[in-house]
């Protein structure tokens, strides 16, 4: 069965520090992988996605993620965090053969201190 | 503006009451979804509709019904609300692998 694990429930970083949010997935086929961000009281916004090709993908707001098949991971990174990045981040996986379902992780809440 | 519109944004129900959450998208997408978001649980899929006239159960369908009357609209109905259904509900529509989300409905069942 498909599943997504985000091991870190809550992360706190200082503004300007680097960030890495972890995501591990379990999936039998080639996965389609996504990172979404949810600001307080808002819906979800797509940060980036991976389908195939280059395993390092660039997204909006200066985020990037690297797909590592051997580790079943799709970690999200940002070299220098801004206070406005404080939000909840969700990793999601979709099937390559059944494109109707997106399974989400439980989310990681990011706090940024000045 | 194009997007996914959910109504209402907030709702308080008494246990046993019924209500329907409305969702409409104007992007001509075939697939639409209803998720619920609970603390520590992420987003869990309730029901989805791959195309007009079809619906399928997701992870947590019990206590809900859905209706996809046309391509634009996908409604979620609670026939007899329970406190366990207190949650934030999100509707989404999908173009290939990119999902667009509504702003959410915060539902409280007392």
């Amino acid at each position: 069965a498909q599943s997504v694990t985000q091991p870190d429930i809550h992360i706190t970083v200082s503004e300007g520090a680097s960030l890495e949010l972890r995501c591990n997935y379990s999936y039998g086929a080639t996965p389609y992988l996504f990172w979404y961000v949810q600001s307080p009281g808002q819906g979800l916004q797509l940060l980036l996605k991976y389908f195939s090709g280059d395993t390092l993908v660039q997204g909006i707001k200066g985020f990037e993620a690297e797909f590592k098949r051997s580790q079943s991971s799709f970690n999200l990174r940002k070299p220098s965090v801004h206070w406005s990045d404080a939000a909840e981040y969700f990793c999601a996986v979709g099937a390559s053969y059944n494109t109707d379902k997106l399974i989400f992780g439980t989310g990681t809440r990011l706090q940024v201190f000045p | 503006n194009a997007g996914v519109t959910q109504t209402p944004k907030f709702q308080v129900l008494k246990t046993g009451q019924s209500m329907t959450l409305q969702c409409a998208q104007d992007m001509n997408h075939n697939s639409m979804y209803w998720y619920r978001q609970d603390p520590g649980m992420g987003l869990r899929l309730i029901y989805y509709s791959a195309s007009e006239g079809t619906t399928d159960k997701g992870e947590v369908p019990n206590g809900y019904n859905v209706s996809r009357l046309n391509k634009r609209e996908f409604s979620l109905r609670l026939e007899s609300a329970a406190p366990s259904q207190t949650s934030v509900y999100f509707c989404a529509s999908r173009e290939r692998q990119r999902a667009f989300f509504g702003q959410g409905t915060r539902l409280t069942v007392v």
Side-chain angles (χ1 to χ4, degrees), chain B residues 2-77:
Chain B
V4 179
T5 304
Q6 288 181 235
T7 56
K9 287 187 169 53
F10 300 94
Q11 183 72 49
V12 179
L13 290 179
K14 293 182 179 178
T15 297
Q17 284 186 314
S18 63
M19 79 159 295
T20 300
L21 307 185
Q22 306 286 352
C23 175
Q25 53 93 6
D26 56 7
M27 296 172 281
N28 204 37
H29 292 167
N30 284 314
S31 299
M32 297 185 73
Y33 310 80
W34 276 105
Y35 288 89
R36 60 177 288 174
Q37 183 180 22
D38 303 289
M41 306 289 284
L43 282 85
R44 291 181 292 170
L45 183 64
I46 305 171
Y47 270 93
Y48 67 102
S49 169
S51 61
E52 181 181 349
T54 69
T55 61
D56 286 286
K57 294 179 180 179
E59 302 169 69
V60 287
N62 292 344
Y64 304 96
N65 285 303
V66 291
S67 180
R68 183 81 182 272
L69 295 176
N70 53 58
K71 197 169 187 179
R72 288 189 66 248
E73 297 169 299
F74 187 40
S75 60
L76 178 73
R77 182 161 178 83

Side-chain angles (χ1 to χ4, degrees), chain A residues 41-56:
Chain A
Q42 301 295 312
L44 279 76
Q45 181 183 20
L46 180 68
L47 280 175
L48 48 79
K49 57 187 184 293
Y50 171 78
F51 294 166
S52 64
D54 192 348
T55 56
L56 184 63

Side-chain angles (χ1 to χ4, degrees), chain A residues 32 34 38 42 99-100 102, chain B residues 33 35 37 94 97 103:
Chain A
Y32 286 37
F34 309 82
Q38 183 183 32
Q42 301 295 312
T99 55
D100 292 315
L102 272 181
Chain B
Y33 310 80
Y35 288 89
Q37 183 180 22
R94 187 179 60 78
Q97 284 292 352
Q103 292 297 298

